Coordinates of all heavy atoms in Angstrom, one line a residue:
P197 N 85.4 97.8 99.6 CA 84.2 97.8 100.4 C 84.5 97.5 102.0 O 85.6 97.0 102.2 CB 83.3 96.8 99.9 CG 84.1 95.9 99.1 CD 85.3 96.8 98.7
S198 N 83.5 97.7 102.8 CA 83.7 97.4 104.2 C 82.4 96.9 104.7 O 81.3 97.2 104.2 CB 84.3 98.6 105.1 OG 83.4 99.7 104.9
A199 N 82.4 96.3 105.9 CA 81.2 95.8 106.5 C 81.2 96.3 108.0 O 82.3 96.3 108.7 CB 81.2 94.2 106.5
I200 N 80.1 96.8 108.4 CA 79.9 97.3 109.8 C 79.0 96.3 110.5 O 77.9 96.0 110.0 CB 79.3 98.7 109.8 CG1 80.3 99.6 109.1 CG2 79.1 99.2 111.3 CD1 79.8 101.0 108.9
F201 N 79.4 95.8 111.7 CA 78.5 94.9 112.4 C 78.7 95.1 113.9 O 79.7 95.7 114.4 CB 78.9 93.4 112.0 CG 80.4 93.1 112.1 CD1 80.9 92.6 113.3 CD2 81.2 93.4 111.1 CE1 82.3 92.4 113.4 CE2 82.6 93.1 111.1 CZ 83.2 92.6 112.3
S202 N 77.8 94.5 114.7 CA 77.8 94.7 116.1 C 77.1 93.5 116.8 O 76.4 92.8 116.1 CB 77.2 96.0 116.6 OG 75.9 96.1 116.3
S203 N 77.2 93.5 118.1 CA 76.4 92.4 118.9 C 75.8 93.1 120.1 O 76.3 94.2 120.5 CB 77.5 91.4 119.4 OG 76.8 90.5 120.3
N204 N 74.8 92.4 120.6 CA 74.2 93.0 121.8 C 75.0 92.6 123.1 O 74.7 92.9 124.2 CB 72.8 92.5 122.0 CG 72.6 90.9 122.1 OD1 73.6 90.2 121.9 ND2 71.5 90.5 122.3
D205 N 76.2 91.9 122.9 CA 77.1 91.4 123.9 C 78.4 92.2 123.7 O 79.1 91.9 122.7 CB 77.3 89.9 123.8 CG 78.1 89.4 125.0 OD1 79.0 90.1 125.5 OD2 77.9 88.2 125.3
A206 N 78.7 93.1 124.5 CA 79.9 93.9 124.4 C 81.2 93.1 124.4 O 82.2 93.6 123.9 CB 79.9 95.0 125.5
G207 N 81.2 91.9 125.0 CA 82.4 91.1 125.1 C 82.5 90.1 123.9 O 83.4 89.3 123.9
A208 N 81.6 90.1 122.9 CA 81.7 89.1 121.8 C 82.9 89.3 121.0 O 83.5 90.4 120.8 CB 80.5 89.3 120.9
T209 N 83.4 88.2 120.5 CA 84.5 88.2 119.6 C 84.0 87.7 118.2 O 82.9 87.0 118.2 CB 85.6 87.2 120.1 OG1 85.1 85.9 120.2 CG2 86.2 87.8 121.4
Y210 N 84.6 88.0 117.2 CA 84.1 87.7 115.8 C 85.1 86.9 115.0 O 86.3 87.0 115.1 CB 83.8 89.0 115.1 CG 82.7 89.8 115.8 CD1 83.2 90.9 116.7 CD2 81.4 89.5 115.8 CE1 82.3 91.7 117.3 CE2 80.5 90.4 116.5 CZ 80.9 91.4 117.3 OH 80.0 92.1 117.9
T211 N 84.6 86.2 114.1 CA 85.4 85.5 113.0 C 84.7 85.9 111.7 O 83.5 85.8 111.6 CB 85.3 84.0 113.1 OG1 85.8 83.6 114.4 CG2 86.1 83.3 112.1
C212 N 85.6 86.4 110.8 CA 85.0 86.7 109.4 C 85.6 85.8 108.4 O 86.8 85.5 108.4 CB 85.5 88.1 109.1 SG 84.8 89.5 110.1
V213 N 84.7 85.3 107.5 CA 85.1 84.5 106.4 C 84.7 85.1 105.1 O 83.4 85.4 104.9 CB 84.5 83.0 106.5 CG1 84.9 82.2 105.3 CG2 85.0 82.4 107.8
L214 N 85.6 85.5 104.3 CA 85.3 86.1 102.9 C 85.6 85.0 101.8 O 86.7 84.6 101.7 CB 86.1 87.3 102.7 CG 85.9 88.0 101.4 CD1 84.5 88.4 101.2 CD2 86.8 89.2 101.3
D215 N 84.5 84.6 101.2 CA 84.7 83.6 100.0 C 85.5 82.4 100.5 O 86.5 82.0 99.8 CB 85.3 84.3 98.8 CG 84.5 85.4 98.3 OD1 83.3 85.4 98.5 OD2 85.0 86.3 97.7
T216 N 85.3 81.8 101.6 CA 85.9 80.5 102.1 C 87.2 80.9 102.8 O 87.9 79.9 103.2 CB 86.0 79.5 101.1 OG1 87.0 79.7 100.1 CG2 84.7 79.2 100.4
V217 N 87.7 82.1 102.8 CA 89.0 82.4 103.4 C 88.7 83.2 104.8 O 88.1 84.1 104.8 CB 89.8 83.3 102.5 CG1 91.1 83.8 103.2 CG2 90.1 82.6 101.2
T218 N 89.2 82.6 105.8 CA 89.1 83.1 107.1 C 90.1 84.4 107.2 O 91.3 84.2 107.0 CB 89.4 82.2 108.2 OG1 88.5 81.1 108.2 CG2 89.3 82.9 109.7
L219 N 89.5 85.6 107.5 CA 90.4 86.8 107.6 C 91.2 86.8 108.9 O 90.7 86.3 109.9 CB 89.5 88.0 107.5 CG 88.6 88.0 106.2 CD1 87.8 89.4 106.3 CD2 89.5 88.0 105.0
P220 N 92.4 87.3 108.8 CA 93.3 87.3 110.1 C 92.7 88.1 111.2 O 93.0 87.7 112.4 CB 94.6 87.8 109.5 CG 94.3 88.5 108.3 CD 93.0 87.9 107.7
M221 N 92.0 89.1 111.0 CA 91.4 90.0 111.9 C 89.9 90.2 111.6 O 89.6 90.2 110.4 CB 92.1 91.3 112.2 CG 93.5 91.2 112.7 SD 94.2 92.8 113.0 CE 93.1 93.5 114.1
C222 N 89.1 90.3 112.6 CA 87.6 90.5 112.3 C 87.2 91.6 113.3 O 86.8 91.2 114.4 CB 86.9 89.2 112.4 SG 85.1 89.4 111.9
I223 N 87.2 92.8 112.9 CA 86.7 93.9 113.7 C 85.8 94.9 112.8 O 86.0 94.9 111.6 CB 87.9 94.8 114.3 CG1 88.8 95.3 113.2 CG2 88.7 93.9 115.3 CD1 89.9 96.2 113.6
S224 N 84.9 95.5 113.5 CA 84.0 96.4 112.8 C 84.5 97.9 112.9 O 84.9 98.3 114.0 CB 82.7 96.3 113.4 OG 81.7 97.2 112.6
P225 N 84.7 98.5 111.7 CA 84.2 98.1 110.4 C 85.4 97.2 109.8 O 86.6 97.4 110.0 CB 84.2 99.4 109.6 CG 85.1 100.3 110.3 CD 85.0 100.0 111.7
Q226 N 84.9 96.2 109.1 CA 85.9 95.2 108.5 C 86.2 95.7 107.1 O 85.2 95.6 106.2 CB 85.3 93.8 108.6 CG 86.2 92.7 107.9 CD 87.5 92.5 108.7 OE1 87.4 92.4 109.9 NE2 88.6 92.6 108.0
V227 N 87.3 96.1 106.8 CA 87.7 96.6 105.5 C 88.1 95.3 104.6 O 88.9 94.5 105.0 CB 88.9 97.5 105.5 CG1 89.3 97.9 104.0 CG2 88.6 98.8 106.3
L228 N 87.4 95.2 103.4 CA 87.6 94.0 102.7 C 88.5 94.2 101.5 O 88.9 93.2 100.8 CB 86.2 93.6 102.1 CG 85.1 93.3 103.2 CD1 83.8 93.0 102.5 CD2 85.5 92.2 104.1
G229 N 89.0 95.4 101.3 CA 90.0 95.6 100.2 C 89.3 95.6 98.8 O 88.1 95.5 98.7
T230 N 90.2 95.4 97.8 CA 89.7 95.3 96.4 C 89.3 94.0 96.1 O 90.1 93.0 96.4 CB 90.8 95.8 95.4 OG1 91.2 97.2 95.8 CG2 90.4 95.8 94.0
L231 N 88.2 93.8 95.6 CA 87.6 92.5 95.3 C 87.4 92.4 93.7 O 87.0 93.3 93.0 CB 86.2 92.3 95.9 CG 86.2 92.3 97.4 CD1 84.8 92.2 97.9 CD2 87.1 91.2 98.0
G232 N 87.7 91.2 93.2 CA 87.6 91.0 91.8 C 86.1 90.9 91.4 O 85.2 90.8 92.3
G233 N 85.8 90.8 90.2 CA 84.4 90.7 89.7 C 83.8 89.4 90.1 O 84.6 88.4 90.2
G234 N 82.5 89.4 90.2 CA 81.8 88.2 90.5 C 81.1 88.2 91.8 O 81.1 89.2 92.5
S235 N 80.6 87.1 92.3 CA 79.9 86.9 93.5 C 80.8 86.8 94.7 O 81.9 86.1 94.6 CB 79.0 85.7 93.5 OG 78.3 85.5 94.6
H236 N 80.6 87.4 95.8 CA 81.3 87.4 97.1 C 80.3 87.2 98.2 O 79.3 87.7 98.2 CB 82.2 88.6 97.2 CG 83.1 88.9 96.2 ND1 84.3 88.2 96.1 CD2 83.0 89.7 95.0 CE1 85.0 88.6 95.0 NE2 84.2 89.5 94.4
T237 N 80.8 86.4 99.1 CA 80.0 86.2 100.5 C 80.9 86.4 101.6 O 82.0 86.0 101.7 CB 79.6 84.7 100.5 OG1 78.7 84.5 99.4 CG2 78.7 84.5 101.8
L238 N 80.4 87.3 102.6 CA 81.0 87.5 103.8 C 80.2 86.9 105.0 O 79.0 87.2 105.0 CB 81.2 89.1 104.1 CG 81.8 89.4 105.5 CD1 83.2 88.9 105.5 CD2 81.7 90.9 105.7
A239 N 80.8 86.0 105.7 CA 80.1 85.4 106.8 C 80.8 85.8 108.1 O 82.0 85.7 108.3 CB 80.1 83.8 106.7
I240 N 79.9 86.2 109.1 CA 80.5 86.7 110.4 C 79.9 85.9 111.5 O 78.7 85.8 111.5 CB 80.2 88.2 110.6 CG1 80.9 89.1 109.4 CG2 80.8 88.7 112.0 CD1 80.6 90.5 109.5
T241 N 80.8 85.3 112.3 CA 80.3 84.6 113.5 C 80.7 85.4 114.7 O 81.8 85.7 114.9 CB 80.9 83.2 113.5 OG1 80.5 82.5 112.3 CG2 80.4 82.4 114.7
G242 N 79.7 85.6 115.6 CA 80.0 86.3 116.8 C 79.9 85.2 118.0 O 78.9 84.4 118.0
T243 N 80.8 85.3 118.9 CA 80.8 84.3 120.1 C 81.0 85.0 121.4 O 81.8 85.9 121.5 CB 82.0 83.3 119.8 OG1 82.0 82.7 118.5 CG2 82.1 82.3 120.9
D244 N 80.1 84.7 122.3 CA 80.2 85.4 123.6 C 81.2 84.6 124.5 O 81.7 83.6 124.2 CB 78.8 85.6 124.3 CG 78.1 84.3 124.7 OD1 78.8 83.2 124.7 OD2 76.9 84.3 124.9
S245 N 81.3 85.1 125.8 CA 82.3 84.6 126.7 C 81.9 83.1 127.1 O 82.8 82.5 127.7 CB 82.4 85.5 127.9 OG 81.2 85.6 128.5
L246 N 80.7 82.8 127.0 CA 80.2 81.4 127.4 C 80.3 80.4 126.2 O 80.0 79.2 126.4 CB 78.8 81.5 127.9 CG 78.6 82.4 129.2 CD1 77.1 82.4 129.5 CD2 79.4 81.8 130.3
G247 N 80.8 80.9 125.0 CA 80.9 80.0 123.8 C 79.7 79.9 123.0 O 79.7 79.2 122.0
N248 N 78.6 80.7 123.3 CA 77.4 80.7 122.5 C 77.8 81.5 121.2 O 78.5 82.6 121.3 CB 76.3 81.3 123.2 CG 75.9 80.7 124.4 OD1 75.7 79.5 124.5 ND2 75.8 81.4 125.6
S249 N 77.3 81.0 120.1 CA 77.7 81.8 118.8 C 76.5 81.9 117.9 O 75.5 81.1 118.1 CB 78.9 81.1 118.1 OG 78.5 79.8 117.7
S250 N 76.6 82.9 117.0 CA 75.6 83.2 116.0 C 76.3 83.6 114.8 O 77.3 84.4 114.9 CB 74.6 84.2 116.6 OG 73.6 84.6 115.6
M251 N 75.8 83.1 113.7 CA 76.4 83.5 112.4 C 75.4 84.3 111.4 O 74.2 83.9 111.5 CB 76.9 82.3 111.7 CG 77.9 82.5 110.4 SD 77.0 82.8 108.9 CE 76.3 81.1 108.6
T252 N 75.8 85.2 110.7 CA 75.1 85.8 109.6 C 76.0 86.0 108.4 O 77.3 86.0 108.5 CB 74.5 87.2 110.1 OG1 73.5 87.7 109.2 CG2 75.6 88.2 110.3
S253 N 75.4 86.1 107.3 CA 76.2 86.3 106.1 C 75.5 87.2 105.1 O 74.2 87.4 105.2 CB 76.5 85.0 105.4 OG 75.3 84.3 105.0
V254 N 76.2 87.8 104.2 CA 75.7 88.6 103.1 C 76.4 88.3 101.8 O 77.6 88.0 101.9 CB 75.8 90.1 103.5 CG1 77.2 90.5 103.6 CG2 75.1 90.9 102.4
T255 N 75.7 88.2 100.7 CA 76.3 87.9 99.4 C 76.0 89.0 98.4 O 74.9 89.6 98.5 CB 75.7 86.6 98.8 OG1 76.1 85.5 99.7 CG2 76.3 86.2 97.4
W256 N 77.0 89.4 97.7 CA 76.8 90.5 96.7 C 77.6 90.3 95.4 O 78.5 89.4 95.4 CB 77.2 91.9 97.3 CG 78.6 92.1 97.5 CD1 79.5 92.7 96.8 CD2 79.4 91.6 98.6 NE1 80.8 92.6 97.3 CE2 80.7 91.9 98.5 CE3 79.0 90.8 99.8 CZ2 81.7 91.6 99.3 CZ3 80.0 90.5 100.7 CH2 81.3 91.0 100.5
T257 N 77.4 90.9 94.4 CA 78.1 90.8 93.2 C 78.8 92.1 92.8 O 78.3 93.1 92.9 CB 77.1 90.4 92.0 OG1 76.5 89.2 92.4 CG2 77.9 90.2 90.7
V258 N 80.1 91.9 92.5 CA 81.0 93.1 92.1 C 80.9 93.0 90.4 O 81.3 92.0 89.8 CB 82.4 93.0 92.5 CG1 83.3 94.0 91.9 CG2 82.5 93.0 94.0
D259 N 80.5 94.1 89.9 CA 80.4 94.2 88.4 C 81.7 94.9 88.0 O 81.9 96.1 88.1 CB 79.2 95.0 88.0 CG 79.2 95.2 86.5 OD1 80.0 94.7 85.7 OD2 78.2 95.9 86.0
A260 N 82.7 94.1 87.4 CA 84.0 94.7 87.1 C 84.1 94.9 85.6 O 85.3 95.2 85.1 CB 85.1 93.7 87.6
V261 N 83.1 94.8 84.9 CA 83.1 94.9 83.4 C 82.6 96.3 83.2 O 81.4 96.7 83.5 CB 82.3 93.8 82.7 CG1 82.3 94.1 81.2 CG2 82.8 92.5 83.0
G262 N 83.3 97.1 82.4 CA 82.9 98.4 82.0 C 81.8 98.4 80.9 O 81.6 97.4 80.3
P263 N 81.1 99.5 80.8 CA 80.0 99.5 79.8 C 80.6 99.6 78.4 O 81.7 100.0 78.2 CB 79.3 100.8 80.2 CG 80.4 101.7 80.8 CD 81.2 100.7 81.5
T264 N 79.8 99.1 77.4 CA 80.2 99.3 76.0 C 79.7 100.6 75.5 O 78.6 101.1 75.7 CB 79.4 98.1 75.2 OG1 79.8 96.9 75.7 CG2 79.8 98.2 73.7
V265 N 80.7 101.3 74.8 CA 80.3 102.7 74.4 C 80.6 102.7 72.9 O 81.6 102.2 72.4 CB 81.3 103.7 75.1 CG1 81.0 105.1 74.6 CG2 81.1 103.7 76.6
S266 N 79.7 103.4 72.2 CA 79.9 103.4 70.7 C 79.5 104.9 70.3 O 78.6 105.5 71.0 CB 79.0 102.5 70.0 OG 77.6 102.6 70.3
I267 N 80.0 105.4 69.3 CA 79.7 106.7 68.7 C 78.7 106.4 67.6 O 79.1 105.7 66.6 CB 81.0 107.4 68.3 CG1 81.9 107.7 69.5 CG2 80.6 108.7 67.6 CD1 83.2 108.3 69.2
T268 N 77.7 107.1 67.6 CA 76.6 107.0 66.5 C 76.5 108.1 65.6 O 75.8 108.1 64.6 CB 75.3 106.6 67.1 OG1 74.9 107.7 68.0 CG2 75.4 105.3 67.9
A269 N 77.2 109.3 65.9 CA 77.1 110.5 65.1 C 78.4 111.2 65.3 O 79.0 111.2 66.3 CB 75.9 111.4 65.5
P270 N 78.9 112.0 64.4 CA 78.4 112.2 63.0 C 78.6 110.9 62.1 O 79.5 110.2 62.4 CB 79.2 113.4 62.5 CG 80.5 113.4 63.3 CD 80.1 112.8 64.6
V271 N 77.8 110.8 61.1 CA 77.9 109.6 60.2 C 78.2 110.1 58.9 O 77.9 111.2 58.3 CB 76.5 109.0 60.2 CG1 76.5 107.8 59.3 CG2 76.1 108.5 61.6
N272 N 79.1 109.3 58.2 CA 79.5 109.5 56.8 C 80.0 110.9 56.5 O 79.5 111.7 55.7 CB 78.3 109.3 55.8 CG 77.9 107.8 55.8 OD1 78.7 106.8 56.1 ND2 76.6 107.5 55.7
G273 N 81.0 111.3 57.3 CA 81.5 112.6 57.2 C 80.7 113.8 57.6 O 81.1 115.0 57.3
G274 N 79.6 113.6 58.3 CA 78.8 114.7 58.8 C 79.6 115.5 59.8 O 80.6 115.2 60.2
R275 N 79.0 116.7 60.1 CA 79.7 117.6 61.1 C 78.9 117.8 62.3 O 77.6 117.7 62.3 CB 79.9 119.0 60.5 CG 80.8 118.9 59.3 CD 81.0 120.4 58.8 NE 81.8 120.3 57.6 CZ 82.5 121.4 57.1 NH1 82.2 122.5 57.6 NH2 83.3 121.2 56.1
S276 N 79.6 118.0 63.4 CA 78.9 118.2 64.6 C 79.6 119.3 65.4 O 80.9 119.4 65.3 CB 79.0 116.9 65.5 OG 78.3 117.2 66.8
S277 N 79.0 120.2 66.0 CA 79.6 121.3 66.8 C 79.1 121.4 68.1 O 78.2 120.8 68.5 CB 79.5 122.6 66.0 OG 78.1 122.8 65.7

């Protein structure tokens, strides 16, 4: 997955934190790579040239478990075509 973000300040710089890990680069679009199953949070802080900052975050869940599939027919030697 990836995240697209922007600021109303063209000179803003960003810091991205994914699940408590600060990413080495933070640019939009931010490619997050392959994530394991479970809950994930991406927090992005934008900072302007005067040091003013603002943070926003998003949390989502990756479902990494496949569906359960079963065959219900044919039964007891029945035929299907």
Side-chain angles (χ1 to χ4, degrees):
S198 62
I200 298 171
F201 51 90
S202 62
S203 170
N204 61 352
D205 185 330
T209 59
Y210 302 97
T211 302
C212 294
V213 178
L214 176 62
D215 298 335
T216 72
V217 176
T218 301
L219 302 179
M221 291 184 61
C222 188
I223 56 173
S224 183
Q226 179 66 51
V227 177
L228 302 174
T230 302
L231 301 173
S235 179
H236 299 280
T237 300
L238 175 65
I240 301 172
T241 302
T243 305
D244 67 15
S245 60
L246 298 176
N248 301 307
S249 64
S250 177
M251 190 273 293
T252 189
S253 65
V254 62
T255 299
W256 70 98
T257 301
V258 174
D259 180 0
V261 178
T264 301
V265 178
S266 60
I267 298 174
T268 58
V271 179
N272 296 328
R275 296 183 181 194
S276 178
S277 51

